[in-house]
Amino acid sequence: MSELRFNELRGEPVAYAVDRQERTFLPSRAKCPLCPTLPGGPETEIPVSAYEIAVFDNRFPAFEAPHGAAEVVVYTDDHDASFGTLSPERAQALMWVWRHRYSELGAREDIDYVFIFENRGVEVGVTLHHPHGQIYGYPFLPPVPGLEVAADARLGGCAPCALLAGELDDGRRVIYENDAAVAYVPYAARWPYEVHVVMREHLASLLECQADDLDGLAGALQAVARGYDALFDRPFPYVMAVHQAPTGEIRTGHLHVEFYPPLRSADKLKFTAGSEQGAGTFVTDILPEKTAAELRGAVARAA
Ligand SMILES: [Zn+2]
Ligand SMILES: [Zn+2]
Ligand SMILES: [Zn+2]
């Protein structure tokens, strides 16, 4: 069982999922729990010999009913694929799976925020290489989406709408755009290669998206993921965070996806240290305009 405590000094909850210490850590390929179960072979987490997308409860949950949820979303049965290399059709299907999980988990009384995310690469603590993401259903509004709600109030309207308009107007940090979504390195990015993919229209969540919106979102996310891999010609680690309207008392938001890559060059990590951890202020040695120009080139090369 996990336990939730409130950290008074920070004003935020901290979750303790003590069983997680025992979880599978970088198993050999033959023991991958997310691969299909082959005839005559050992049973994996997925008891079928082939599949497209699989969703199931996390065996080592940080949150579980009746106080939230933790699910695993496996993108493909191909162990060596990645989000960026999925076929466009599969990436689009994944958007529908995300939409369905947002709808179902968001409808639950005990879930105030549905958070879809992917950790990619050992640099961000990945314990399984098989391409997959996760979904947490939090029984409260977590601090980061809470800050976005506060940004709307501070700006007197939708913050992503205002920020997107500013980025399109400036143009220097835009790295990719299509009919549905725009990808840019934010004006005040915290990570050197941070990218936000923002829906052009004010759509609160995946539930407000039509098929064209989801196709455009999938295309933009894959363009960014492939551009990342092309940038330094290596698998690019990142955290991918889907932000959308909370599902508790507050229900306003603007669907967008944020990528936080921990690299500051091909082989150097950006560590969060004294200023970032102790004072909460990111200090970064590359301007967003420069990393955006590099990423724009990489996205074009990878297209
Ligand atoms: Zn696998
Ligand atoms: Zn908006
Ligand atoms: Zn956000």
Side-chain angles (χ1 to χ4, degrees):
M1 276 302 280
S2 63
E3 182 178 335
L4 201 61
R5 297 184 182 179
F6 191 74
N7 181 315
E8 289 292 354
L9 203 53
R10 296 293 299 256
E12 65 194 25
V14 179
Y16 299 86
V18 288
D19 292 339
R20 282 167 60 85
Q21 287 296 356
E22 312 301 319
R23 73 191 194 276
T24 323
F25 183 75
L26 294 175
S28 71
R29 189 200 166 93
K31 291 189 176 150
C32 174
L34 304 184
C35 273
T37 297
L38 297 174
E43 181 145 317
T44 69
E45 298 267 327
I46 305 167
V48 293
S49 60
Y51 62 86
E52 293 191 350
I53 296 174
V55 182
F56 52 89
D57 285 331
N58 196 319
R59 273 179 61 210
F60 305 98
F63 301 96
E64 59 191 316
H67 305 291
E71 298 184 341
V72 176
V73 182
V74 189
Y75 301 161
T76 165
D77 60 9
D78 177 359
H79 185 87
D80 298 310
S82 68
F83 175 77
T85 66
L86 297 176
S87 70
E89 295 73 25
R90 181 65 59 83
Q92 291 160 13
L94 179 63
M95 302 299 109
W96 285 98
V97 168
W98 285 359
R99 186 183 194 271
H100 176 259
R101 299 319 302 148
Y102 176 83
S103 170
E104 196 161 293
L105 294 172
R108 273 172 47 179
E109 279 291 318
D110 61 325
I111 293 178
D112 284 354
Y113 195 77
V114 179
F115 181 50
I116 298 164
F117 65 101
E118 178 186 342
N119 298 329
R120 185 192 188 205
V122 290
E123 293 87 348
V124 295
V126 160
T127 53
L128 298 173
H129 283 309
H130 197 113
H132 72 286
Q134 299 182 67
I135 304 177
Y136 281 2
Y138 294 88
F140 53 86
L141 179 63
V144 171
L147 287 170
E148 296 194 345
V149 170
D152 291 349
R154 192 175 65 244
L155 295 177
C158 174
C161 274
L163 294 169
L164 173 62
E167 294 293 351
L168 286 171
D169 194 42
D170 183 309
R172 287 176 299 162
R173 291 172 298 276
V174 174
I175 65 164
Y176 172 89
E177 51 186 309
N178 61 29
D179 287 347
V182 180
Y184 56 81
V185 180
Y187 168 73
R190 301 158 92 227
W191 301 91
Y193 293 97
E194 181 172 337
V195 168
H196 293 191
V197 173
V198 183
M199 300 307 285
R200 282 185 193 275
E201 273 188 72
H202 179 78
L203 300 165
S205 73
L206 290 159
L207 267 185
E208 292 191 0
C209 289
Q210 307 297 320
D212 285 352
D213 302 314
L214 295 178
D215 291 355
L217 175 61
L221 296 177
Q222 285 202 293
V224 171
R226 287 193 300 263
Y228 274 153
D229 285 354
L231 180 65
F232 298 134
D233 199 24
R234 57 161 284 186
F236 199 87
Y238 58 71
V239 170
M240 175 171 74
V242 180
H243 285 157
Q244 46 188 333
T247 56
E249 243 164 75
I250 300 166
R251 303 242 169 174
T252 55
H254 180 138
L255 173 61
H256 63 281
V257 179
E258 305 190 3
F259 288 88
Y260 319 131
L263 293 182
R264 59 189 176 88
S265 69
D267 54 5
K268 288 196 188 70
L269 285 169
K270 160 70 185 168
F271 290 103
T272 59
S275 184
E276 292 83 4
Q277 294 191 40
T281 296
F282 269 67
V283 179
T284 298
D285 50 15
I286 320 176
L287 280 173
E289 290 73 29
K290 179 166 182 300
T291 52
E294 291 174 36
L295 279 171
R296 193 159 49 239
V299 167
R301 279 203 304 281

